[in-house]
Amino acid sequence: MTTPRTTTTATASATGQLATSNLARDTYTVFARAMRMSLRNPAWLVISLMQPVLYILLFGPLLEPLSGQLGAANAYQVFVPGILVQLGIFGALFVGFGLIAEYRAGVIESQRVTPASRTALLLGRVLRDVVVLLVQGTLLVLVAIPLGLRAPLVGVVLTLVVIGLLGAAFASVSYALALTLKSEDAFAPLLNAVVLPVLLLSGILLPMTLAPGWLQAVSDVNPLKHVVEGTRSFFDGDYGSSTAWWGAALTVAMGVAGWWFGVRRFRQESS
């Protein structure tokens, strides 16, 4: 005989499965639309990839004489992980501009009146951004190989996972800020104010071990510095070091914080 408690549990389970199914369907719908828009106008994808490629082609050779001071047999062993982190940060931070354009065109308003999950509206867009970052990161590694980069495949894959998580975190924050400000005139100066200190204090271009003591102390509070050092450990094949996994753990923490901020802002906008 079926008891009321059993019936309630079965109903709750069915409701949970339905909600999960709807979230997956809505996420795919948003992801597919965002990906189609990117493929229809791939110019900005190429442009966003050009800067890190130019860094590798035009700045990387300048570091070759410094390989000994950098503690590596090849300067690209140190330089490429930093450039990949730069791609993960800056490639994701600027995606909010697209959301502002969609907001102005009424796309966000039309999505708000649908029964689509608010989480899916963010998740679908972030997944598109992560896929783009992973493709760009793979291309960067391939460009660096003829120049002398030698890194273990496992280390490269782990680094790309870190870049994907980092990109998801910053894309979520970017969408949340764009939805809050709703203006390129306010969004652009805010990003520029963040980008420069992050670039200088994270050791993306050169390891912070080359910096004076006071600057190293300042950079220690920047979690992105530890992410960069962690990816360099992965590229060295040093998978058991605390440096590698401390950077990965900080990336996960930033991913959780960025995702929470983004989902909260999307739900507030829809309430």
Side-chain angles (χ1 to χ4, degrees):
M1 178 179 180
T2 304
T3 64
R5 184 174 180 178
T6 303
T7 304
T8 302
T9 303
T11 303
S13 176
T15 302
Q17 291 176 359
L18 180 61
T20 302
S21 174
N22 289 341
L23 176 63
R25 181 200 60 200
D26 296 341
T27 298
Y28 175 75
T29 302
V30 176
F31 168 79
R33 175 186 174 276
M35 188 57 76
R36 278 198 303 273
M37 291 179 64
S38 297
L39 294 176
R40 284 175 185 169
N41 187 17
W44 69 272
L45 296 177
V46 176
I47 292 172
S48 63
L49 186 61
M50 282 305 298
Q51 186 181 25
V53 168
L54 288 176
Y55 266 114
I56 288 179
L57 293 178
L58 304 181
F59 187 77
L62 300 178
L63 301 178
E64 281 296 336
L66 303 177
S67 298
Q69 297 181 44
L70 298 176
N74 188 299
Y76 289 96
Q77 210 82 15
V78 175
F79 187 53
V80 173
I83 290 297
L84 287 173
V85 173
Q86 181 191 30
L87 176 69
I89 298 171
F90 301 150
L93 261 182
F94 290 88
V95 296
F97 283 105
L99 190 73
I100 293 175
E102 286 186 322
Y103 184 87
R104 191 168 292 121
V107 175
I108 304 300
E109 187 65 27
S110 64
Q111 290 179 339
R112 284 174 54 187
V113 299
T114 68
S117 163
R118 276 33 185 171
T119 301
L121 297 182
L122 176 63
L123 183 57
R125 290 179 167 86
V126 170
L127 284 178
R128 184 276 311 265
D129 300 328
V130 170
V131 169
V132 171
L133 284 176
L134 292 179
V135 172
Q136 292 177 326
T138 303
L139 290 175
L140 277 181
V141 172
L142 294 176
V143 167
I145 288 176
L147 298 174
L149 172 68
R150 298 294 179 268
L153 179 61
V154 175
V156 173
V157 171
L158 287 173
T159 298
L160 290 176
V161 171
V162 168
I163 301 309
L165 287 171
L166 200 62
F170 280 92
S172 300
V173 171
S174 180
Y175 285 132
L177 291 176
L179 209 51
T180 302
L181 299 173
K182 300 182 179 68
S183 166
E184 293 92 344
D185 294 337
F187 191 52
L190 176 63
L191 293 187
N192 287 329
V194 172
V195 164
L196 187 58
V198 165
L199 180 67
L200 296 178
L201 291 176
S202 58
I204 284 175
L205 299 180
L206 288 172
M208 294 307 295
T209 51
L210 301 178
W214 67 268
L215 192 54
Q216 291 187 37
V218 172
S219 67
D220 283 342
V221 301
N222 181 5
L224 292 170
K225 171 204 169 185
H226 303 286
V227 175
V228 173
E229 291 181 346
T231 57
R232 284 176 176 146
S233 295
F234 284 142
F235 262 55
D236 285 337
D238 191 9
Y239 310 125
S241 71
S242 58
T243 301
W245 295 105
W246 175 236
L250 285 174
T251 305
V252 172
M254 284 189 285
V256 172
W259 178 249
W260 172 82
F261 180 48
V263 170
R264 183 170 179 267
R265 188 66 194 90
F266 264 71
R267 288 178 176 171
Q268 285 177 341
E269 184 69 19
S270 301
S271 61

